[in-house]
PDB file of all heavy atoms in Angstrom:
ATOM      1  N   GLY A 105      83.194 218.944 113.708  1.00 91.00           N
ATOM      2  CA  GLY A 105      82.100 218.043 113.920  1.00 91.00           C
ATOM      3  C   GLY A 105      82.474 216.792 114.679  1.00 91.00           C
ATOM      4  O   GLY A 105      81.697 216.267 115.477  1.00 91.00           O
ATOM      5  N   LEU A 106      83.711 216.354 114.417  1.00 91.00           N
ATOM      6  CA  LEU A 106      84.186 215.103 115.036  1.00 91.00           C
ATOM      7  C   LEU A 106      84.147 215.112 116.565  1.00 91.00           C
ATOM      8  O   LEU A 106      83.798 214.148 117.206  1.00 91.00           O
ATOM      9  CB  LEU A 106      85.637 214.826 114.614  1.00 91.00           C
ATOM     10  CG  LEU A 106      85.913 214.094 113.343  1.00 91.00           C
ATOM     11  CD1 LEU A 106      87.409 213.791 113.221  1.00 91.00           C
ATOM     12  CD2 LEU A 106      85.160 212.769 113.290  1.00 91.00           C
ATOM     13  N   VAL A 107      84.589 216.237 117.176  1.00 84.00           N
ATOM     14  CA  VAL A 107      84.737 216.282 118.613  1.00 84.00           C
ATOM     15  C   VAL A 107      83.410 216.138 119.333  1.00 84.00           C
ATOM     16  O   VAL A 107      83.371 215.919 120.520  1.00 84.00           O
ATOM     17  CB  VAL A 107      85.399 217.582 119.053  1.00 84.00           C
ATOM     18  CG1 VAL A 107      86.847 217.597 118.678  1.00 84.00           C
ATOM     19  CG2 VAL A 107      84.692 218.817 118.559  1.00 84.00           C
ATOM     20  N   ARG A 108      82.296 216.298 118.579  1.00 82.00           N
ATOM     21  CA  ARG A 108      80.994 216.178 119.209  1.00 82.00           C
ATOM     22  C   ARG A 108      80.423 214.762 119.129  1.00 82.00           C
ATOM     23  O   ARG A 108      79.325 214.505 119.596  1.00 82.00           O
ATOM     24  CB  ARG A 108      79.982 217.146 118.554  1.00 82.00           C
ATOM     25  CG  ARG A 108      80.347 218.572 118.834  1.00 82.00           C
ATOM     26  CD  ARG A 108      79.544 219.538 117.967  1.00 82.00           C
ATOM     27  NE  ARG A 108      79.681 220.914 118.431  1.00 82.00           N
ATOM     28  CZ  ARG A 108      80.694 221.688 118.120  1.00 82.00           C
ATOM     29  NH1 ARG A 108      81.655 221.259 117.335  1.00 82.00           N
ATOM     30  NH2 ARG A 108      80.787 222.909 118.576  1.00 82.00           N
ATOM     31  N   LEU A 109      81.207 213.857 118.579  1.00 87.00           N
ATOM     32  CA  LEU A 109      80.718 212.468 118.407  1.00 87.00           C
ATOM     33  C   LEU A 109      81.246 211.576 119.544  1.00 87.00           C
ATOM     34  O   LEU A 109      82.148 211.919 120.252  1.00 87.00           O
ATOM     35  CB  LEU A 109      81.194 211.919 117.103  1.00 87.00           C
ATOM     36  CG  LEU A 109      80.715 212.633 115.844  1.00 87.00           C
ATOM     37  CD1 LEU A 109      81.373 212.070 114.626  1.00 87.00           C
ATOM     38  CD2 LEU A 109      79.206 212.493 115.697  1.00 87.00           C
ATOM     39  N   SER A 110      80.615 210.432 119.668  1.00 88.00           N
ATOM     40  CA  SER A 110      81.108 209.419 120.642  1.00 88.00           C
ATOM     41  C   SER A 110      82.467 208.920 120.159  1.00 88.00           C
ATOM     42  O   SER A 110      82.689 208.842 118.965  1.00 88.00           O
ATOM     43  CB  SER A 110      80.096 208.304 120.761  1.00 88.00           C
ATOM     44  OG  SER A 110      80.143 207.516 119.603  1.00 88.00           O
ATOM     45  N   PRO A 111      83.319 208.552 121.109  1.00 90.00           N
ATOM     46  CA  PRO A 111      84.723 208.211 120.763  1.00 90.00           C
ATOM     47  C   PRO A 111      84.824 207.149 119.674  1.00 90.00           C
ATOM     48  O   PRO A 111      85.695 207.205 118.801  1.00 90.00           O
ATOM     49  CB  PRO A 111      85.262 207.660 122.078  1.00 90.00           C
ATOM     50  CG  PRO A 111      84.456 208.330 123.120  1.00 90.00           C
ATOM     51  CD  PRO A 111      83.097 208.523 122.559  1.00 90.00           C
ATOM     52  N   ARG A 112      83.893 206.213 119.639  1.00 92.00           N
ATOM     53  CA  ARG A 112      84.022 205.106 118.713  1.00 92.00           C
ATOM     54  C   ARG A 112      83.770 205.578 117.288  1.00 92.00           C
ATOM     55  O   ARG A 112      84.575 205.303 116.398  1.00 92.00           O
ATOM     56  CB  ARG A 112      82.999 204.017 119.065  1.00 92.00           C
ATOM     57  CG  ARG A 112      83.397 202.696 118.511  1.00 92.00           C
ATOM     58  CD  ARG A 112      82.433 201.638 118.946  1.00 92.00           C
ATOM     59  NE  ARG A 112      83.170 200.482 119.478  1.00 92.00           N
ATOM     60  CZ  ARG A 112      82.513 199.399 119.850  1.00 92.00           C
ATOM     61  NH1 ARG A 112      81.213 199.339 119.797  1.00 92.00           N
ATOM     62  NH2 ARG A 112      83.194 198.378 120.307  1.00 92.00           N
ATOM     63  N   ARG A 114      83.902 208.583 116.271  1.00 91.00           N
ATOM     64  CA  ARG A 114      84.925 209.570 115.983  1.00 91.00           C
ATOM     65  C   ARG A 114      86.196 208.869 115.457  1.00 91.00           C
ATOM     66  O   ARG A 114      86.760 209.264 114.445  1.00 91.00           O
ATOM     67  CB  ARG A 114      85.272 210.365 117.223  1.00 91.00           C
ATOM     68  CG  ARG A 114      86.350 211.408 116.962  1.00 91.00           C
ATOM     69  CD  ARG A 114      86.449 212.370 118.135  1.00 91.00           C
ATOM     70  NE  ARG A 114      86.494 211.623 119.389  1.00 91.00           N
ATOM     71  CZ  ARG A 114      86.170 212.143 120.541  1.00 91.00           C
ATOM     72  NH1 ARG A 114      85.755 213.375 120.641  1.00 91.00           N
ATOM     73  NH2 ARG A 114      86.267 211.417 121.644  1.00 91.00           N
ATOM     74  N   LEU A 172      92.962 221.670 118.168  1.00 90.00           N
ATOM     75  CA  LEU A 172      91.663 221.638 118.877  1.00 90.00           C
ATOM     76  C   LEU A 172      91.816 220.894 120.226  1.00 90.00           C
ATOM     77  O   LEU A 172      91.061 221.224 121.167  1.00 90.00           O
ATOM     78  CB  LEU A 172      90.619 220.902 117.995  1.00 90.00           C
ATOM     79  CG  LEU A 172      89.161 221.333 118.181  1.00 90.00           C
ATOM     80  CD1 LEU A 172      89.001 222.800 117.931  1.00 90.00           C
ATOM     81  CD2 LEU A 172      88.275 220.551 117.195  1.00 90.00           C
ATOM     82  N   SER A 173      92.716 219.940 120.284  1.00 88.00           N
ATOM     83  CA  SER A 173      92.889 219.212 121.550  1.00 88.00           C
ATOM     84  C   SER A 173      93.529 220.091 122.609  1.00 88.00           C
ATOM     85  O   SER A 173      93.444 219.816 123.798  1.00 88.00           O
ATOM     86  CB  SER A 173      93.731 217.944 121.327  1.00 88.00           C
ATOM     87  OG  SER A 173      95.051 218.313 121.007  1.00 88.00           O
ATOM     88  N   PHE A 175      92.601 223.172 122.890  1.00 87.00           N
ATOM     89  CA  PHE A 175      91.588 224.197 123.166  1.00 87.00           C
ATOM     90  C   PHE A 175      90.661 223.725 124.262  1.00 87.00           C
ATOM     91  O   PHE A 175      90.239 222.576 124.288  1.00 87.00           O
ATOM     92  CB  PHE A 175      90.826 224.434 121.861  1.00 87.00           C
ATOM     93  CG  PHE A 175      89.596 225.316 122.040  1.00 87.00           C
ATOM     94  CD1 PHE A 175      89.718 226.683 122.146  1.00 87.00           C
ATOM     95  CD2 PHE A 175      88.336 224.741 122.009  1.00 87.00           C
ATOM     96  CE1 PHE A 175      88.607 227.479 122.278  1.00 87.00           C
ATOM     97  CE2 PHE A 175      87.212 225.540 122.177  1.00 87.00           C
ATOM     98  CZ  PHE A 175      87.362 226.901 122.277  1.00 87.00           C
ATOM     99  N   ASP A 176      90.349 224.629 125.199  1.00 86.00           N
ATOM    100  CA  ASP A 176      89.506 224.271 126.304  1.00 86.00           C
ATOM    101  C   ASP A 176      88.035 224.440 125.947  1.00 86.00           C
ATOM    102  O   ASP A 176      87.572 225.550 125.707  1.00 86.00           O
ATOM    103  CB  ASP A 176      89.848 225.168 127.509  1.00 86.00           C
ATOM    104  CG  ASP A 176      88.972 224.838 128.728  1.00 86.00           C
ATOM    105  OD1 ASP A 176      88.176 223.895 128.647  1.00 86.00           O
ATOM    106  OD2 ASP A 176      89.088 225.571 129.713  1.00 86.00           O
ATOM    107  N   PRO A 177      87.255 223.348 125.870  1.00 83.00           N
ATOM    108  CA  PRO A 177      85.851 223.459 125.448  1.00 83.00           C
ATOM    109  C   PRO A 177      84.987 224.267 126.371  1.00 83.00           C
ATOM    110  O   PRO A 177      83.920 224.742 125.987  1.00 83.00           O
ATOM    111  CB  PRO A 177      85.388 222.013 125.349  1.00 83.00           C
ATOM    112  CG  PRO A 177      86.353 221.234 126.188  1.00 83.00           C
ATOM    113  CD  PRO A 177      87.623 221.966 126.159  1.00 83.00           C
ATOM    114  N   ASN A 178      85.455 224.482 127.596  1.00 86.00           N
ATOM    115  CA  ASN A 178      84.655 225.276 128.483  1.00 86.00           C
ATOM    116  C   ASN A 178      84.471 226.720 128.035  1.00 86.00           C
ATOM    117  O   ASN A 178      83.472 227.367 128.270  1.00 86.00           O
ATOM    118  CB  ASN A 178      85.351 225.339 129.884  1.00 86.00           C
ATOM    119  CG  ASN A 178      85.109 224.041 130.647  1.00 86.00           C
ATOM    120  OD1 ASN A 178      84.028 223.448 130.519  1.00 86.00           O
ATOM    121  ND2 ASN A 178      86.128 223.583 131.359  1.00 86.00           N
ATOM    122  N   GLU A 180      84.065 227.578 125.007  1.00 85.00           N
ATOM    123  CA  GLU A 180      82.969 227.534 124.028  1.00 85.00           C
ATOM    124  C   GLU A 180      81.639 227.536 124.786  1.00 85.00           C
ATOM    125  O   GLU A 180      80.700 228.307 124.434  1.00 85.00           O
ATOM    126  CB  GLU A 180      83.112 226.270 123.204  1.00 85.00           C
ATOM    127  CG  GLU A 180      82.430 226.281 121.897  1.00 85.00           C
ATOM    128  CD  GLU A 180      82.629 224.956 121.153  1.00 85.00           C
ATOM    129  OE1 GLU A 180      83.473 224.151 121.587  1.00 85.00           O
ATOM    130  OE2 GLU A 180      81.916 224.750 120.164  1.00 85.00           O
ATOM    131  N   ARG A 181      81.570 226.694 125.813  1.00 86.00           N
ATOM    132  CA  ARG A 181      80.351 226.642 126.609  1.00 86.00           C
ATOM    133  C   ARG A 181      80.029 228.000 127.267  1.00 86.00           C
ATOM    134  O   ARG A 181      78.883 228.461 127.272  1.00 86.00           O
ATOM    135  CB  ARG A 181      80.503 225.559 127.702  1.00 86.00           C
ATOM    136  CG  ARG A 181      79.434 224.495 127.557  1.00 86.00           C
ATOM    137  CD  ARG A 181      79.720 223.315 128.453  1.00 86.00           C
ATOM    138  NE  ARG A 181      80.566 222.334 127.779  1.00 86.00           N
ATOM    139  CZ  ARG A 181      81.524 221.636 128.346  1.00 86.00           C
ATOM    140  NH1 ARG A 181      81.834 221.839 129.612  1.00 86.00           N
ATOM    141  NH2 ARG A 181      82.162 220.743 127.672  1.00 86.00           N
TER     142      ARG A 181
ATOM    143  N   GLY B  12      96.549 213.143 119.689  1.00 38.00           N
ATOM    144  CA  GLY B  12      95.495 214.133 119.493  1.00 38.00           C
ATOM    145  C   GLY B  12      94.134 213.503 119.748  1.00 38.00           C
ATOM    146  O   GLY B  12      93.315 214.049 120.466  1.00 38.00           O
ATOM    147  N   ALA B  13      93.973 212.304 119.187  1.00 41.00           N
ATOM    148  CA  ALA B  13      92.658 211.611 119.313  1.00 41.00           C
ATOM    149  C   ALA B  13      92.383 211.303 120.789  1.00 41.00           C
ATOM    150  O   ALA B  13      91.280 211.513 121.262  1.00 41.00           O
ATOM    151  CB  ALA B  13      92.672 210.359 118.470  1.00 41.00           C
ATOM    152  N   ARG B  14      93.457 210.841 121.457  1.00 40.00           N
ATOM    153  CA  ARG B  14      93.236 210.446 122.857  1.00 40.00           C
ATOM    154  C   ARG B  14      92.921 211.652 123.709  1.00 40.00           C
ATOM    155  O   ARG B  14      92.053 211.657 124.544  1.00 40.00           O
ATOM    156  CB  ARG B  14      94.500 209.724 123.359  1.00 40.00           C
ATOM    157  CG  ARG B  14      94.134 208.471 124.188  1.00 40.00           C
ATOM    158  CD  ARG B  14      95.408 207.770 124.587  1.00 40.00           C
ATOM    159  NE  ARG B  14      96.156 207.326 123.468  1.00 40.00           N
ATOM    160  CZ  ARG B  14      97.494 207.478 123.382  1.00 40.00           C
ATOM    161  NH1 ARG B  14      98.165 208.053 124.314  1.00 40.00           N
ATOM    162  NH2 ARG B  14      98.148 207.039 122.345  1.00 40.00           N
ATOM    163  N   ARG B  15      93.716 212.718 123.455  1.00 42.00           N
ATOM    164  CA  ARG B  15      93.480 213.915 124.245  1.00 42.00           C
ATOM    165  C   ARG B  15      92.057 214.498 123.966  1.00 42.00           C
ATOM    166  O   ARG B  15      91.388 214.932 124.851  1.00 42.00           O
ATOM    167  CB  ARG B  15      94.478 214.991 123.916  1.00 42.00           C
ATOM    168  CG  ARG B  15      95.563 215.086 125.032  1.00 42.00           C
ATOM    169  CD  ARG B  15      96.308 216.302 124.851  1.00 42.00           C
ATOM    170  NE  ARG B  15      97.646 215.995 124.381  1.00 42.00           N
ATOM    171  CZ  ARG B  15      98.426 216.853 123.738  1.00 42.00           C
ATOM    172  NH1 ARG B  15      98.016 218.038 123.490  1.00 42.00           N
ATOM    173  NH2 ARG B  15      99.622 216.497 123.322  1.00 42.00           N
ATOM    174  N   GLY B  16      91.673 214.366 122.677  1.00 42.00           N
ATOM    175  CA  GLY B  16      90.360 214.841 122.311  1.00 42.00           C
ATOM    176  C   GLY B  16      89.282 214.029 123.078  1.00 42.00           C
ATOM    177  O   GLY B  16      88.274 214.597 123.493  1.00 42.00           O
ATOM    178  N   ALA B  17      89.579 212.743 123.301  1.00 41.00           N
ATOM    179  CA  ALA B  17      88.588 211.905 123.945  1.00 41.00           C
ATOM    180  C   ALA B  17      88.361 212.363 125.415  1.00 41.00           C
ATOM    181  O   ALA B  17      87.226 212.370 125.894  1.00 41.00           O
ATOM    182  CB  ALA B  17      89.048 210.457 123.976  1.00 41.00           C
ATOM    183  N   THR B  18      89.437 212.789 126.081  1.00 41.00           N
ATOM    184  CA  THR B  18      89.273 213.224 127.465  1.00 41.00           C
ATOM    185  C   THR B  18      88.531 214.544 127.514  1.00 41.00           C
ATOM    186  O   THR B  18      87.828 214.851 128.470  1.00 41.00           O
ATOM    187  CB  THR B  18      90.626 213.361 128.161  1.00 41.00           C
ATOM    188  OG1 THR B  18      91.467 214.138 127.308  1.00 41.00           O
ATOM    189  CG2 THR B  18      91.258 212.021 128.455  1.00 41.00           C
ATOM    190  N   ALA B  19      88.706 215.348 126.445  1.00 41.00           N
ATOM    191  CA  ALA B  19      88.053 216.645 126.453  1.00 41.00           C
ATOM    192  C   ALA B  19      86.672 216.544 125.828  1.00 41.00           C
ATOM    193  O   ALA B  19      86.123 217.503 125.274  1.00 41.00           O
ATOM    194  CB  ALA B  19      88.879 217.645 125.692  1.00 41.00           C
ATOM    195  N   ALA B  20      86.077 215.372 125.863  1.00 42.00           N
ATOM    196  CA  ALA B  20      84.786 215.124 125.189  1.00 42.00           C
ATOM    197  C   ALA B  20      83.659 215.908 125.858  1.00 42.00           C
ATOM    198  O   ALA B  20      83.904 216.842 126.620  1.00 42.00           O
ATOM    199  CB  ALA B  20      84.470 213.642 125.195  1.00 42.00           C
ATOM    200  N   ALA B  21      82.472 215.497 125.585  1.00 45.00           N
ATOM    201  CA  ALA B  21      81.266 216.139 126.144  1.00 45.00           C
ATOM    202  C   ALA B  21      81.190 217.619 125.797  1.00 45.00           C
ATOM    203  O   ALA B  21      81.031 218.478 126.649  1.00 45.00           O
ATOM    204  CB  ALA B  21      81.208 215.938 127.672  1.00 45.00           C
ATOM    205  N   ARG B  22      81.403 217.924 124.545  1.00 49.00           N
ATOM    206  CA  ARG B  22      81.144 219.295 124.074  1.00 49.00           C
ATOM    207  C   ARG B  22      79.669 219.398 123.767  1.00 49.00           C
ATOM    208  O   ARG B  22      79.027 218.413 123.604  1.00 49.00           O
ATOM    209  CB  ARG B  22      81.926 219.592 122.802  1.00 49.00           C
ATOM    210  CG  ARG B  22      83.411 219.827 123.066  1.00 49.00           C
ATOM    211  CD  ARG B  22      84.164 219.791 121.760  1.00 49.00           C
ATOM    212  NE  ARG B  22      85.573 219.607 122.074  1.00 49.00           N
ATOM    213  CZ  ARG B  22      86.475 220.588 121.979  1.00 49.00           C
ATOM    214  NH1 ARG B  22      86.106 221.770 121.622  1.00 49.00           N
ATOM    215  NH2 ARG B  22      87.727 220.339 122.222  1.00 49.00           N
ATOM    216  N   PRO B  23      79.164 220.654 123.759  1.00 50.00           N
ATOM    217  CA  PRO B  23      77.698 220.775 123.476  1.00 50.00           C
ATOM    218  C   PRO B  23      77.374 220.164 122.120  1.00 50.00           C
ATOM    219  O   PRO B  23      77.900 220.548 121.102  1.00 50.00           O
ATOM    220  CB  PRO B  23      77.531 222.297 123.437  1.00 50.00           C
ATOM    221  CG  PRO B  23      78.849 222.887 123.269  1.00 50.00           C
ATOM    222  CD  PRO B  23      79.787 221.935 123.959  1.00 50.00           C
ATOM    223  N   ALA B  24      76.570 219.147 122.161  1.00 54.00           N
ATOM    224  CA  ALA B  24      76.154 218.503 120.921  1.00 54.00           C
ATOM    225  C   ALA B  24      75.012 219.301 120.270  1.00 54.00           C
ATOM    226  O   ALA B  24      74.176 219.870 120.954  1.00 54.00           O
ATOM    227  CB  ALA B  24      75.665 217.098 121.190  1.00 54.00           C
TER     228      ALA B  24
END
Side-chain angles (χ1 to χ4, degrees):
Chain A
L106 273 186
V107 290
R108 292 171 169 82
L109 297 173
S110 71
R112 203 176 229 184
R114 180 170 48 204
L172 209 57
S173 68
F175 171 77
D176 180 4
N178 284 323
E180 201 179 350
R181 239 170 270 141
Chain B
R14 224 177 298 135
R15 257 194 253 157
T18 49
R22 283 168 198 254

